[in-house]
Amino acid sequence: MSDSIGDKATSGVIWTSVDRFLTMGLQFVVNLVLARLLLPSDFGTIGMLAIFIAVSNTLIDGGFASALIQKKEPTNTDYSTIFFWNVGFAVVIYTVLFLMAPWVASFFRLPELRDVLRAIGLFVILSAIYSVQMTRLRKQLQFKKLAIVNIVSYCLAGVTGITMAYRGFGAWSLVAQQLTGAALIVLILFALTRWVPSLEFSKSSMKELFGFGAYILAANLLQEICKNFQGIIIGRRFSAAQMGYYTQAQKMDTVTSYSIPQIIVTVMYPVYSSIQDECERFNKIVAMNVRVIAYIVFPMLSLLILLAEPLVTGLYGAQWDVSVPYYQILCVGGLFVCLQNVNFFAVAAKGQSKALFRWSVYKWSFLLVAILGGSMFGMTGLMWGMVMSNFNIYMVNACLLQCYSGYKVADQLRSLVPMTMSCVIALALSRVVQVAFEWHYGICAVVFGITYLLLSVRMQAAGETLTLLKRLIKNKRNIQ
């Protein structure tokens, strides 16, 4: 990696880490307070509507964000064209959501969902307004500004949500939190960047970007539908409370399975795109990313499986104990989830959006079959169906990367064996100590940590992680 790209990537990792960890900390505190003030059914009410917001945002984005980042030198005309398209289409999508709200409420047998969907649907329009500005900053590796936007907006939105929950607004406090956060992002982005679109709409730009983005759109659309489809099943077949328990477990799992790996993926996608034609260098960087993510995330997930019960009940109260097994199963699936996007975006950086779309049809069809079949055995069966799907998605993405870059699946799996075996041994030893000696969970966590570090100290991934940390410390002045 050249010095300029390397320095930008290093600075990007630092600021993305600041963004992710501070935002996760804020989310943790806010969620902790809200879980004490609200009922599981309040969280479930919003969780049932997640698929509608996720699909709407994906339709509006249209794959254009990925297309703008993948394009080596997008112009202001490109950005302006996509801005006006996003906002115009968002208004259309919101109108559809507004009209279908009564049907949604009837489907879930919850009359209050009608007004909730009509209100939270405004998030779609706000998201369309700021999405292009966020993409511009990512393309320019301006992660410091992105961190400021996300942290400040979430902090103020969290205060809004907590205040309304304390005053007894129930699920509406979660609606207000999301809308406040989106509105603040719009305002803060304008204050930081002063960017406004030029009054132009280029059909040629639209056609060029849509040529790449259409397949990303189709792939992401299938992904969002299927990722959130379990919400429809849970909401329809089970209850709002069960949906709330699942939603809480999913939020906790997101911290490790999604947020931490996304720090690297967010920074590296523009870097992948910039070196897409240098095959050997490209593969070395992707392989290093895979190993570093696994080295950090695998032990965290393993430890959280061990500590799930005291963690959930101690933080959120005994009323949330139903979430414990859900959370443990999600952590198992997280072993595969944390690596999915590294392979996905590496393939996207190669310009293979069409292939990603074709295979997404299979991936998400498999997920639908897995969760529908699993739901026949209750909530636990549904969750294990999701784990099977997570493994399938990871393998498909890894195989696609092998096809288009030459990074072999066997080599990737082989590189994960040391971290996996170290986690299994450390987890087994900690569990034996816990059962045999009836030690406190905290002591068992220490046993796990020491065992993993001793087993992994000579791993290639350990050296790479240490090198990355040293580089972050050495270049800390670059972010000032």
Side-chain angles (χ1 to χ4, degrees), residues 60-72:
I60 292 165
D61 175 78
F64 293 124
S66 295
L68 286 167
I69 292 176
Q70 198 272 342
K71 186 175 181 179
K72 289 189 175 181

Side-chain angles (χ1 to χ4, degrees), residues 45-96:
T45 298
I46 303 302
M48 291 177 187
L49 302 178
I51 187 170
F52 301 102
I53 303 303
V55 169
S56 297
N57 279 334
T58 302
L59 282 171
I60 292 165
D61 175 78
F64 293 124
S66 295
L68 286 167
I69 292 176
Q70 198 272 342
K71 186 175 181 179
K72 289 189 175 181
E73 295 182 2
T75 65
N76 192 59
T77 299
D78 293 329
Y79 287 121
S80 299
T81 298
I82 301 307
F83 174 85
F84 288 117
W85 168 264
N86 285 354
V87 174
F89 196 35
V91 174
V92 175
I93 293 294
Y94 176 73
T95 302
V96 173

Side-chain angles (χ1 to χ4, degrees), residues 62-64 67 209-220 353 357:
F64 293 124
L209 293 169
F210 193 72
F212 176 87
Y215 293 106
I216 295 292
L217 163 64
N220 287 342
S353 59
F357 165 65

Side-chain angles (χ1 to χ4, degrees), residues 175-186:
V175 175
Q177 181 185 358
Q178 290 197 33
L179 293 180
T180 301
L184 286 168
I185 289 175
V186 172

Side-chain angles (χ1 to χ4, degrees), residues 412-430:
Q412 185 169 163
L413 292 175
R414 194 177 300 114
S415 71
L416 300 176
V417 171
M419 285 78 81
T420 303
M421 293 306 300
S422 296
C423 287
V424 170
I425 294 171
L427 189 59
L429 180 60
S430 301

